[in-house]
Amino acid sequence: MGIEGIGARVARKEDRRFVTGAGRYVDDMVVPGMKHAAFVRSPHAHARIKGIDVTAAQAMPGVIAVLGGRELQADGIGNLICGWMIHSKDGSPMNMGAWSPLATETVRYVGDAVAIVVAETKGQARDAAEAVEIDYEELPAVTEAVAALEAGAPQIHPEANGNLIYDWEIGEAKAVDEAISRAAHVTRMRIVNNRLVPNAMEPRAALGHYDKAEDHYTCWTTSQNPHVARLVMSAFYNVAPENKLRVIAPDVGGGFGSKIYIYPEEIVCLWASKKSGVPVKWVADRTESFLTDAHGRDHVSEVQMAFDADNRMTALKVDTIANFGAYMSLFSSAVPTYLYATLLSGQYVIPAIHANVRAVYTNTAPVDAYRGAGRPEATYLLERIVETAARELGVPPAELRRKNFIREFPYQTPVIMNYDAGDYEASLSAAMEAADYAGFEKRRDEAKARGKLRGIGMSCYIEACGIAPSAAVGSLGAGVGLWESAEVRVNAAGTIEVLTGSHSHGQGHETTFAQLVSDRFGVGIDTVNIVHGDTDKVQMGMGTYGSRSGAVGMSAIVKALDKVEKKAKKIAAHLMEADEGDIVIENGECKVAGTDKTVPWFQVALAAYTAHNLPEGMEPGLKEGAFYDPSNFTFPAGCYICEVEVDPDTGKTEIVQFVAADDFGNIINPMIVEGQVHGGIAQGVGQALLEGTRYDPGSGQLVTASYMDYTMPRADDLPSFQVSTSNTPCPGNPLGIKGCGEAGAIGSPPAVINAITDAIGTNDLTMPATPQAVWSALKSATRH
């Protein structure tokens, strides 16, 4: 590989090991003496544990240990926590129910862990887990958030009366109500955002190893943020002192948010290793993933949008009920509050906004961030009601949006966010041109002649990425800072190592981060190595989520590169007896501008380490670190247009065209950005058309617990995407970049549903828009 800097379409360096089967995942890790674990899980959605008998299981072949929650608590292992404090509008703190890594008295969802079995083989561990006898007293269960708030609903946690976790609000309720009362038109909708299972390619896994001789713990885990895992397991769960705990997240096969959190399994495997005296590995099967991975979305909202006589938006009122499942996961509290309601202004000037959010316990798997985390929920709600309002007002959807676009920046919304830069008109125009929007009616007529219903829908999204600055999120209840760290080490021969607190699990950091270094020093990206995911190798960092690795993680690298460059120029100037200000670094050389004097990059590095001829007072070495805390979120935005054909006889929907026009600011690697957009759109289409998590409302059993029942998008469900980008650089970070990893999943669902409802002539359609759902909506509209 040659010198490939910022803006180059470089193939991903890391793909060679992945496509050749040389990736190293947690399940590939083998430690001498390692044994295997299986968890005993509740078959009931809600029940009291009256007794546990492990006698038969302990006597089975290969079994080393059978351990339960009482032993875990006796050893001082703490309950799992939610790391973001939210206060209700009356000022009271959120009602966080106790979540023991192994349940001791009550199980609260199907899949709740009760005990762990450690055995010689995975098969022996699973067989013995089935032999653990637990006497349960079944209790009534509730799976829907709205039903959980009703009088007489089963009480899930004693800490949360009526199952209410918090009742939170943002905005000015009085101003909104007054604007609605004066409005020339008000559009009202009930909007449901369906529950999803993340389904990363690699299931979760953990390998815990306690070294008795060193009194040291190592945990290999499928984590998006290993340093946070180490911090939480040491400071809050009392698994091990932080200085005696190493957390390693090797290659991770996708995360989408579901691997941010610390789950019971990591905690229990580490504890069980010390308890049993052997290293303990657990790898989820796919059904365990369906049952126990943190789910996403699951909102029910009542929405009102007010307009004046000139069709300008005057107010937005939102009342949302958010399903949190049986326990509060690590960042769950922030998703329907500060990651959701703060984006309800979208791309529009809306003078008055008020949102009320009630978070609720149910007897289902915990719910937390999933690709987009609050932003998809906000965008879906807003873009569905804007499209519906356009139809009610008899105004073209693009015209209504244009009339209400924010056009001056910075722009302070009524719901905290201050947008720093954007050009929403550019994205809308680019998308409409690419989609041949003007020619749609001709295509609709042609489809009608073939007996098909053709529809077109758009979505203008905005998202907030980076989740920062730390002081701001801290004031809003975050339990950690959201900065990032980097260390740049130039070795004696001139090769470069970048140690980053970000974590790569599909984003392509090993390529894009190397491009950043290549661009700065003119070295080949094959001479740059990116190190991440190991708390013993890398300085404290906050990990990857919220599309923050570019805007925050790379900005930290830039700060470290600035320091390295400054020192390298001092050394080069000294070697060439030149002025430091005349030194430029390019093409792998340090040069004196305007002359033919040069020193190769490797020679500058070698000089730094031999220390034979350094400037007076300079320390040897060429290594620098930096921390970067952003001054603001970044705000990617764009317009997506979807065109569909619906078969009125079957309700089957075919996406015949999908156009994405995004503004991500400056772009490091266009090819990787396009891949991120493609993947996000595929997940968004999956939510809109196919994916839906279903629990039996009576028993609380997860009905969609395998790919036989939970439908994932496949290649033939998707068209060839047309993607393009415009650029309003972000003024808040040194690279001018915004983040691109979640945009596709944010903007696509409303575009798809808006297209289908345009085709079938009714707004009454919820996700997933399965053939049955579309056919039923179409028939209902026909009857009325």
Side-chain angles (χ1 to χ4, degrees):
M1 293 184 180
I3 299 170
E4 302 283 2
I6 293 173
R9 299 178 66 88
V10 182
R12 299 193 342 163
K13 292 173 60 178
E14 50 268 68
D15 283 351
R16 176 180 294 274
R17 72 174 183 273
F18 294 141
V19 300
T20 58
R24 294 280 288 165
Y25 300 89
V26 173
D27 196 26
D28 295 313
M29 302 302 162
V30 177
V31 177
M34 184 183 76
K35 310 305 177 186
H36 297 269
F39 282 85
V40 181
R41 301 188 181 278
S42 170
H44 305 295
H46 199 196
R48 288 193 185 91
I49 300 173
K50 298 177 67 178
I52 302 177
D53 186 351
V54 301
T55 306
Q58 287 176 327
M60 293 185 69
V63 171
I64 295 165
V66 183
L67 304 169
R70 296 292 184 191
E71 294 156 285
L72 182 135
Q73 288 184 349
D75 284 346
I77 305 299
N79 290 332
L80 283 84
I81 62 165
C82 177
W84 196 305
M85 172 55 71
I86 298 293
H87 289 83
S88 290
K89 55 192 176 186
D90 65 3
S92 60
M94 63 192 188
N95 302 311
M96 184 165 58
W99 184 6
S100 173
L102 295 175
T104 57
E105 297 179 357
T106 306
V107 290
R108 294 182 171 89
Y109 72 102
V110 175
D112 213 348
V114 180
I116 183 174
V117 175
V118 180
E120 293 286 344
T121 69
K122 185 184 295 186
Q124 289 172 332
R126 289 181 173 178
D127 288 344
E130 293 181 5
V132 175
E133 296 181 4
I134 303 177
D135 184 11
Y136 291 104
E137 178 190 344
E138 283 196 67
L139 301 171
V142 60
T143 60
E144 299 292 334
V146 174
L149 289 176
E150 294 174 354
Q155 181 71 40
I156 297 172
H157 285 280
E159 298 89 346
N161 187 42
N163 300 317
L164 182 67
I165 299 168
Y166 56 70
D167 185 356
W168 176 89
E169 67 176 350
I170 191 172
E172 298 295 331
K174 183 178 179 182
V176 168
D177 289 340
E178 289 176 353
I180 290 173
S181 68
R182 296 192 305 266
H185 177 82
V186 179
T187 295
R188 296 178 172 86
M189 295 184 75
R190 183 178 190 267
I191 294 176
V192 177
N193 207 292
N194 46 322
R195 177 184 280 236
L196 304 172
V197 177
N199 279 304
M201 186 178 294
E202 177 198 19
R204 288 190 298 112
L207 168 55
H209 180 205
Y210 174 69
D211 184 333
K212 185 176 181 180
E214 299 291 336
D215 188 27
H216 186 272
Y217 299 77
T218 303
C219 179
W220 289 264
T221 179
T222 47
S223 174
Q224 297 177 217
N225 47 356
H227 275 286
V228 174
R230 185 174 77 152
L231 170 65
V232 173
M233 283 196 287
S234 62
F236 298 99
Y237 303 155
N238 302 317
V239 177
E242 190 174 16
N243 64 316
K244 295 187 176 184
L245 174 59
R246 179 184 185 184
V247 176
I248 303 170
D251 289 328
V252 174
F256 312 120
S258 69
K259 294 174 182 173
I260 297 173
Y261 328 112
I262 292 84
Y263 289 87
E265 290 85 4
E266 294 100 310
I267 301 167
V268 175
C269 283
L270 273 172
W271 168 74
S273 177
K274 183 175 184 179
K275 201 78 173 173
S276 64
V278 296
V280 176
K281 180 195 277 188
W282 166 81
V283 179
D285 60 29
R286 187 56 66 178
T287 293
E288 275 186 296
S289 294
F290 273 102
L291 287 172
T292 65
D293 286 4
H295 293 179
R297 318 289 192 246
D298 206 344
H299 286 191
V300 177
S301 300
E302 300 291 339
V303 191
Q304 299 179 65
M305 177 170 272
F307 296 84
D308 64 16
D310 194 33
N311 294 335
R312 294 195 181 276
M313 300 171 186
T314 60
L316 177 69
K317 184 173 185 175
V318 176
D319 183 14
T320 294
I321 298 174
N323 191 339
F324 271 32
Y327 303 102
M328 294 188 75
S329 182
L330 190 62
F331 291 122
S332 59
S333 58
V335 174
T337 52
Y338 293 115
L339 299 181
Y340 160 71
T342 57
L343 273 299
L344 287 172
S345 190
Q347 298 185 4
Y348 311 112
V349 175
I350 309 177
I353 300 174
H354 180 261
N356 196 94
V357 178
R358 286 171 286 171
V360 184
Y361 284 122
T362 63
N363 295 114
T364 62
V367 176
D368 210 316
Y370 169 63
R371 198 169 190 170
R375 283 73 54 87
E377 295 91 319
T379 298
Y380 184 74
L381 179 150
L382 191 61
E383 290 304 292
R384 284 290 291 121
I385 200 164
V386 169
E387 192 89 359
T388 301
R391 295 167 187 173
E392 292 179 354
L393 292 165
V395 177
E399 179 183 321
L400 184 63
R401 288 176 167 88
R402 281 196 173 103
K403 181 181 284 287
N404 289 281
F405 274 159
I406 298 164
R407 297 183 183 276
E408 295 183 2
F409 296 89
Y411 177 79
Q412 179 62 54
T413 75
V415 280
I416 296 181
M417 292 299 180
N418 187 285
Y419 300 164
D420 52 14
D423 185 349
Y424 309 142
E425 178 75 36
S427 296
L428 176 62
S429 297
M432 292 181 71
E433 181 178 353
D436 184 21
Y437 201 89
F440 170 71
E441 290 303 328
K442 182 178 179 180
R443 297 193 295 277
R444 190 200 292 269
D445 291 341
E446 187 275 332
K448 185 177 181 180
R450 292 185 284 106
K452 298 294 179 69
L453 303 175
R454 200 167 181 115
I456 196 166
M458 66 172 55
S459 165
C460 293
Y461 79 90
I462 189 169
E463 59 166 324
C465 296
I467 317 182
S470 296
V473 296
S475 70
L476 300 176
V480 294
L482 293 172
W483 41 265
E484 197 46 86
S485 68
E487 183 177 294
V488 176
R489 297 176 180 173
V490 181
N491 298 317
T495 59
I496 299 171
E497 297 173 48
V498 176
L499 285 69
T500 174
S502 299
H503 185 275
S504 183
H505 39 277
Q507 291 84 356
H509 294 170
E510 293 177 36
T511 304
T512 52
F513 289 11
Q515 285 182 257
L516 190 60
V517 178
S518 175
D519 192 81
R520 177 66 70 96
F521 297 138
V523 298
I525 64 172
D526 54 329
T527 68
V528 181
N529 187 38
I530 309 301
V531 182
H532 68 94
D534 187 335
T535 61
D536 269 16
K537 292 182 179 179
V538 178
Q539 68 288 338
M540 177 75 175
M542 300 314 296
T544 294
Y545 40 86
S547 301
R548 69 191 307 272
S549 294
V552 188
M554 293 183 81
S555 293
I557 296 172
V558 167
K559 288 187 66 177
L561 289 172
D562 289 343
K563 297 177 184 179
V564 170
E565 179 180 351
K566 185 177 180 179
K567 186 171 184 179
K569 285 183 174 180
K570 285 181 182 291
I571 296 171
H574 181 74
L575 294 175
M576 292 185 285
E577 298 181 343
D579 187 271
E580 181 185 337
D582 292 334
I583 302 298
V584 294
I585 304 176
E586 59 186 22
N587 298 322
E589 294 180 321
C590 293
K591 304 178 181 180
V592 180
T595 75
D596 59 358
K597 288 186 174 181
T598 66
V599 176
W601 174 255
F602 80 86
Q603 190 171 328
V604 173
L606 188 62
Y609 287 96
T610 60
H612 294 164
N613 186 17
L614 293 177
E616 186 176 352
M618 177 179 283
E619 294 180 355
L622 194 51
K623 178 183 78 170
E624 299 289 349
F627 289 78
Y628 176 76
D629 198 353
S631 60
N632 193 4
F633 289 81
T634 67
F635 297 98
C639 178
Y640 290 180
I641 295 177
C642 178
E643 196 166 328
V644 302
E645 280 191 359
V646 176
D647 185 332
D649 295 326
T650 64
K652 179 75 167 64
T653 298
E654 178 186 359
I655 298 177
V656 294
Q657 178 177 238
F658 198 103
V659 171
D662 297 289
D663 179 358
F664 297 135
N666 294 329
I667 290 174
I668 305 299
N669 186 319
M671 182 163 55
I672 286 179
V673 168
E674 289 164 11
Q676 288 285 333
V677 174
H678 287 184
I681 294 172
Q683 285 183 291
V685 168
Q687 175 173 15
L689 293 182
L690 303 165
E691 299 181 52
T693 308
R694 295 285 184 270
Y695 283 89
D696 180 85
S699 67
Q701 295 292 326
L702 179 61
V703 177
T704 50
S706 75
Y707 292 135
M708 294 292 289
D709 304 293
Y710 187 98
T711 308
M712 295 285 284
R714 292 169 171 80
D716 61 356
D717 295 310
L718 305 168
S720 293
F721 306 124
Q722 300 180 58
V723 300
S724 66
T725 57
S726 55
N727 183 3
T728 57
C730 173
N733 63 66
L735 290 167
I737 58 182
K738 296 184 177 182
C740 67
E742 297 165 295
I746 292 169
S748 53
V752 174
I753 299 301
N754 286 341
I756 297 173
T757 53
D758 178 59
I760 65 177
T762 176
N763 294 314
D764 188 16
L765 180 68
T766 59
M767 300 186 290
T770 62
Q772 181 181 359
V774 173
W775 184 86
S776 297
L778 182 60
K779 295 306 176 186
S780 178
T782 303
R783 287 196 298 270
H784 293 90

